[in-house]
């Protein structure tokens, strides 16, 4: 096996000397945890003073302050409470506590539809949103010169949907900061049908602010955002209806004027800061290309953007010397979604080669861009089952920047696939400590199990089985397997009976159903419950022809027949 750390180091190159924004945020978190509120306040204030309003963002404060918040951490909340009590005239602790409540609210609720979310989760969400609203209003009262505070206020109010209070907050915010683009972005998003708005209101909003803006105004990007938001609204409305529904709806909603305005907005690439333009367009496009079922429309816009930037996105392109790295990266992701992993790798490597074409504002921004490409390369190699490369590229990505993995860490999983169990446990534990997805606990449990640490494995598997993770069924099955190997049939049967979702035909795969019934058949059989065992083995064979289940069924039929004869 290759030296994974050395290969990752080769990708990183020379050590960096700058202080990361995320590292500064971590220092503030540490200061808050130890009760050094004066130092924390000084660090936050310093970053605020160093931040600048750019075309589409407030940098670096926006990234910095999100890194300080620690969602769902009660110990951190207790420290924030102490800080508020000690310094009631400072806006900073109120802002941080508002952000904590806001992010924790969404952590508790999840991102599913209201109709699919449990009442207790919705109630907890509401309580935290209310607390966040109270705190952010106090932060603004104490200091109305921080644009991020007003942006957070709008985010919090948007949780209630499209309300008059949100409209009033928006108007107050743009009166104070008319050039702060995220305010407009948030208000447009709140006008979507899923929040109580409508396409008509979305069009009116964009025409009001983008239509009346100067020819080179960053607000012109709202036209592209409107197209993306309309596509998202159609995707939601057409869920389960098929692609024809999307096509008909988009043809009805998207006007020729909107397409012309999108095209005109993209021409600003050569008139505004090209890096900022690239990042903003990239954020919009990435959301579009990630959405399933809307590939035709995402592809159309991707080509429009590529043309405006002078990029040739064809695999067969012979001259890509003027390509924009973000466009090649997004093209790679399109190939990744189609499971053409070699093509995805080709485009990602092309994106890296194109990076010298871009003038980055600083080394940190360049490293962040490179880290994102490395992370996507890890995804592509994972799809191709090249686990050594997964580890190498994710190690390099993590060393360059703090990558937010919405699911579990691919490195955590890949290390397990490579049977490096000690490293798997270490890496997954680190991801969990950072607030990573419960999927990391699943792969750590697998590593514990295969390295003989079954009690630790059981703890992790129980956590995953009790969650809403996509690994919950497999975790529940592995619990039964561990008890089976211990010959503890009562515990195996109890575990299989306690996780009733294993037998939910509406939501489980045939494979899971077959294995669950087969394992319960085995437990019943070993305990002498022959009739129950036969019922479960027969049920298992309805979903899959597991040889193990077939053999047990034949044995059970013989035993039951012999029992009848003996009777």
């Amino acid at each position: 096996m290759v030296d994974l750390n050395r290969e990752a180091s080769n990708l990183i190159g020379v050590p960096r000397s700058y202080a990361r924004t995320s590292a500064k945020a971590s220092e503030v978190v540490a200061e808050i945890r130890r009760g050094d509120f004066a130092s924390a306040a000084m660090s936050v204030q310093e970053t605020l003073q160093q931040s600048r309003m750019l075309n589409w963002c407030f940098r670096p404060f926006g990234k910095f302050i999100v890194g300080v918040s620690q969602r769902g951490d009660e110990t951190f909340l207790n420290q924030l409470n102490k800080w508020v009590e000690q310094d009631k005239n400072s806006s900073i602790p109120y802002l941080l506590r508002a952000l904590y409540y806001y992010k924790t609210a969404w952590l508790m609720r999840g991102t599913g539809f209201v109709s699919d979310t449990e009442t207790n989760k919705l109630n907890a969400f509401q309580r935290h949103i209310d607390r966040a609203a109270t705190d952010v209003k106090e932060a603004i009262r104490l200091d109305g010169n921080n644009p991020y505070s007003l942006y957070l206020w709008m985010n919090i109010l948007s949780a209630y949907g499209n309300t008059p209070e949100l409209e009033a907050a928006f108007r107050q915010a743009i009166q104070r900061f008319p050039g702060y683009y995220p305010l407009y972005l948030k208000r447009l998003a709140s006008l979507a049908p899923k929040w109580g708005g409508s396409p008509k209101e979305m069009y009116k909003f964009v025409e009001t602010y983008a239509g009346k803006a100067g020819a080179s105004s960053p607000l012109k990007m709202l036209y592209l955002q409107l197209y993306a938001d309309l596509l998202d609204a159609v995707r939601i409305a057409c869920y389960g209806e098929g692609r024809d529904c999307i096509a008909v709806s988009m043809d009805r909603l998207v006007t020729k004027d909107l397409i012309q305005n999108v095209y005109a907005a993209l021409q600003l690439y050569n008139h505004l800061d090209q890096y900022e333009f690239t990042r903003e367009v990239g954020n919009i496009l990435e959301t579009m290309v990630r959405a399933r079922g809307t590939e035709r429309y995402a592809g159309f816009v991707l080509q429009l953007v590529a043309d405006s930037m002078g990029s040739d996105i064809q695999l067969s392109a012979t001259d890509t010397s003027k390509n924009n790295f973000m466009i090649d990266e997004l093209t790679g992701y399109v190939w990744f979604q189609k499971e053409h992993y070699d093509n995805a790798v080709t485009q990602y490597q092309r994106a890296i080669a194109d990076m010298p074409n871009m003038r980055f504002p600083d080394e940190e921004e360049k490293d962040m861009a490179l880290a994102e490409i490395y992370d996507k390369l890890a995804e592509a190699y994972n799809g191709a089952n090249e686990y050594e490369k997964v580890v190498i590229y994710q190690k390099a990505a993590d060393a360059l920047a703090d990558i937010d993995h919405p699911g579990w860490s691919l490195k955590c999983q890949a290390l397990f696939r490579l049977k490096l169990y000690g490293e798997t446990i270490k890496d997954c534990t680190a991801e969990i400590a950072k607030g990573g997805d419960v999927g990391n606990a699943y792969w750590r449990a697998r590593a514990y199990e295969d390295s003989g640490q079954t009690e630790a494995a059981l703890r992790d598997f129980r956590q995953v089985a009790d969650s809403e993770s996509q690994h919950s069924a497999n975790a529940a099955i592995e619990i039964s397997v561990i008890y089976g190997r211990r010959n503890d049939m009562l515990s195996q049967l109890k575990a299989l009976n306690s996780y009733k979702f294993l037998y939910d035909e509406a939501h489980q795969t045939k494979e899971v159903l077959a294995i669950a019934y087969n394992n319960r058949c085995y437990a019943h059989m070993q305990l002498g419950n022959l009739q129950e065992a036969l019922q479960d083995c027969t049920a298992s064979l309805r979903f899959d022809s597991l040889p193990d289940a077939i053999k047990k069924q034949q044995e059970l039929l013989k035993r039951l027949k012999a029992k009848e004869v003996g009777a």
Side-chain angles (χ1 to χ4, degrees):
M1 180 181 291
V2 299
D3 187 327
L4 303 176
N5 290 322
R6 184 179 64 193
E7 292 297 318
S9 295
N10 290 339
L11 289 173
I12 299 166
V14 297
R16 306 313 197 255
S17 58
Y18 63 83
R20 278 194 204 173
T21 301
S22 58
K24 295 177 183 177
S26 296
E27 288 176 11
V28 175
V29 171
E31 288 165 351
I32 294 171
R33 289 192 186 282
R34 63 174 180 261
D36 187 359
F37 303 135
S39 296
M42 187 179 301
S43 298
V44 174
Q45 195 63 41
E46 181 181 83
T47 304
L48 181 59
Q49 291 172 349
Q50 293 172 348
S51 297
R52 296 292 178 267
M53 193 86 72
L54 303 175
N55 285 327
W56 291 283
C57 64
F58 183 51
R59 188 191 301 148
F61 192 81
K63 178 185 175 183
F64 166 81
I65 202 68
V66 170
V68 174
S69 65
Q70 302 292 301
R71 63 178 189 172
D73 186 333
E74 291 286 339
T75 303
F76 187 74
L77 174 61
N78 290 336
Q79 290 299 97
L80 291 178
N81 291 338
K82 291 178 183 178
W83 190 358
V84 168
E85 286 299 314
Q86 289 182 24
D87 196 355
K88 293 184 178 181
N89 294 319
S90 171
S91 67
I92 293 173
Y94 285 103
L95 175 62
L96 288 172
R97 194 168 68 175
L99 187 56
Y100 170 89
Y101 282 135
Y102 173 70
K103 294 184 72 175
T104 302
W106 282 104
L107 176 67
M108 291 176 166
R109 182 199 183 284
T111 56
F113 293 112
V114 171
S115 57
D116 298 329
T117 306
E118 298 170 14
T119 302
N120 64 320
K121 291 183 178 180
L122 292 175
N123 291 338
F125 173 76
Q126 190 66 59
R127 287 195 303 271
H128 280 72
I129 287 294
D130 290 344
R131 291 167 183 164
T134 299
D135 274 350
V136 78
K137 284 190 287 186
E138 184 63 12
I140 294 168
R141 187 188 71 80
L142 291 166
D143 179 9
N145 296 316
N146 183 348
Y148 184 84
S149 296
L150 285 101
Y151 173 64
L152 178 59
W153 185 27
M154 287 188 61
N155 272 275
I156 292 165
L157 290 177
S158 67
Y160 301 110
N162 179 28
T163 64
E165 290 77 14
L166 179 57
E167 172 64 15
F170 168 69
R171 290 186 179 278
Q172 179 180 332
I174 62 170
Q175 183 178 9
R176 181 68 184 83
F177 300 104
Y180 191 26
Y181 184 75
L183 301 173
Y184 299 88
L185 207 60
K186 177 52 62 177
R187 186 65 183 117
L188 175 58
S190 70
L191 292 171
K194 64 181 178 181
W195 295 112
S198 68
K200 183 178 179 180
E201 291 175 277
M202 295 166 76
Y203 265 103
K204 181 180 179 181
F205 177 86
V206 172
E207 283 303 321
T208 298
Y209 295 103
K212 297 177 181 178
S216 298
S217 171
L219 289 177
K220 294 295 185 185
M221 193 66 75
L222 287 172
Y223 284 116
L224 178 58
Q225 187 65 57
L226 172 59
Y227 185 94
D229 287 352
L230 288 172
L231 183 59
D232 183 63
V234 166
R235 179 186 62 83
I236 294 171
C238 291
Y239 181 75
E241 298 294 328
R243 295 176 188 270
D244 288 344
C245 174
I246 292 176
V248 170
S249 299
M250 286 298 285
D251 288 345
R252 177 174 55 84
L253 285 178
V254 177
T255 65
K256 291 182 179 179
D257 284 346
L258 176 57
I259 297 299
Q260 290 175 354
N261 284 319
V262 167
Y263 180 80
L266 295 177
Q267 305 317 303
L268 295 177
Y269 179 62
N270 293 315
H271 301 282
L272 297 175
D273 183 284
Q274 292 192 345
Y275 174 72
E276 288 185 51
F277 187 97
T278 294
R279 292 301 302 183
E280 185 59 30
V281 170
N283 290 337
I284 298 171
L285 270 176
E286 182 155 9
T287 301
M288 293 177 69
V289 300
R290 283 183 180 275
R292 297 289 184 179
T294 60
E295 292 84 357
R296 167 187 163 188
Y297 302 94
F300 164 70
V301 177
L302 179 60
Q303 186 62 62
L304 271 185
V305 176
D307 291 343
S308 73
M309 294 180 172
S311 293
D312 189 343
I313 62 176
Q314 300 176 90
L315 278 170
S316 58
T318 56
D319 182 9
T320 60
S321 60
K322 296 182 179 179
N323 274 24
N324 181 287
F325 79 94
M326 180 68 74
I327 298 305
D328 283 328
E329 181 182 343
L330 290 168
T331 305
Y333 190 77
V334 171
W335 283 115
F336 170 78
Q337 283 191 309
K338 296 179 184 295
E339 299 182 4
H340 291 281
Y341 301 120
D342 288 345
N343 292 347
V345 169
T346 297
Q347 290 294 141
Y348 291 147
Q349 295 290 3
R350 184 181 290 176
I352 294 171
D354 291 337
M355 289 184 71
N357 298 339
M358 179 61 63
R359 180 180 294 176
F360 292 88
D362 53 47
E363 194 174 10
E364 181 177 16
E365 288 291 327
K366 184 177 181 180
D367 281 345
M368 286 174 59
L370 182 58
E372 288 171 4
I373 300 173
Y374 281 166
D375 197 55
K376 286 187 173 68
L377 274 163
E379 284 187 305
Y381 285 125
N382 186 67
N385 299 326
E386 296 186 55
Y387 297 117
E388 286 186 353
K389 290 182 178 178
V390 173
V391 175
I392 291 166
Y393 277 92
Q394 275 219 321
K395 277 180 176 288
D398 290 343
L400 287 171
D402 291 310
I403 300 294
D404 181 22
H405 302 123
W408 62 92
S409 163
L410 291 179
K411 177 156 51 79
C412 164
Q413 174 190 346
L415 287 166
F416 170 77
R417 299 293 189 193
L418 293 169
K419 299 184 178 180
L420 300 172
Y421 300 131
E423 289 190 48
T424 303
I425 293 166
K426 182 179 179 181
D427 186 79
C428 296
T429 300
E431 289 294 329
I432 293 167
K434 291 191 295 185
D437 187 89
V438 72
N440 293 296
Y442 174 76
W443 293 109
R444 184 173 70 176
R446 294 284 301 272
Y448 278 137
E449 181 181 17
D450 284 11
S451 59
Q453 302 176 67
T454 54
E455 282 303 319
L458 283 171
R459 284 196 300 271
D460 275 352
F461 279 136
R462 289 189 189 108
Q463 178 191 354
V464 179
D466 291 335
S467 73
E468 296 180 0
S469 167
Q470 67 184 87
H471 297 295
S472 57
N474 288 333
I477 287 171
E478 286 302 315
I479 291 170
S480 73
V481 169
I482 290 174
Y483 284 127
R485 287 175 181 159
R486 291 179 175 180
N487 203 32
D488 185 352
M489 295 301 112
L490 284 173
S491 294
Q492 183 182 43
L493 183 59
K494 181 180 178 181
L496 287 165
N497 283 333
S498 64
Y499 296 113
K500 300 186 185 300
F501 60 80
L502 289 173
Y503 314 99
D504 183 352
E505 296 182 25
H507 297 95
Q508 295 299 345
T509 65
K510 290 184 178 181
E511 179 185 18
V512 167
L513 290 162
I515 293 173
Y517 277 115
N518 176 64
N519 287 6
R520 197 167 70 177
C521 168
Y522 177 74
H524 276 305
M525 189 174 179
Q526 294 299 107
L527 291 168
N529 307 325
L530 303 186
Q531 195 62 52
E532 291 88 343
L534 180 60
Q535 289 175 356
D536 279 343
C537 272
T538 302
S540 175
L541 292 170
R542 281 198 296 116
F543 300 104
D544 198 359
S545 299
L546 297 178
D548 196 40
I550 294 171
K551 183 177 181 181
K552 287 199 294 289
Q553 184 190 51
Q554 292 173 346
E555 177 64 24
L556 286 163
L557 287 170
K558 289 180 183 178
R559 288 193 194 182
L560 285 167
K561 186 174 182 180
K563 189 175 181 180
E564 289 177 6
V565 172

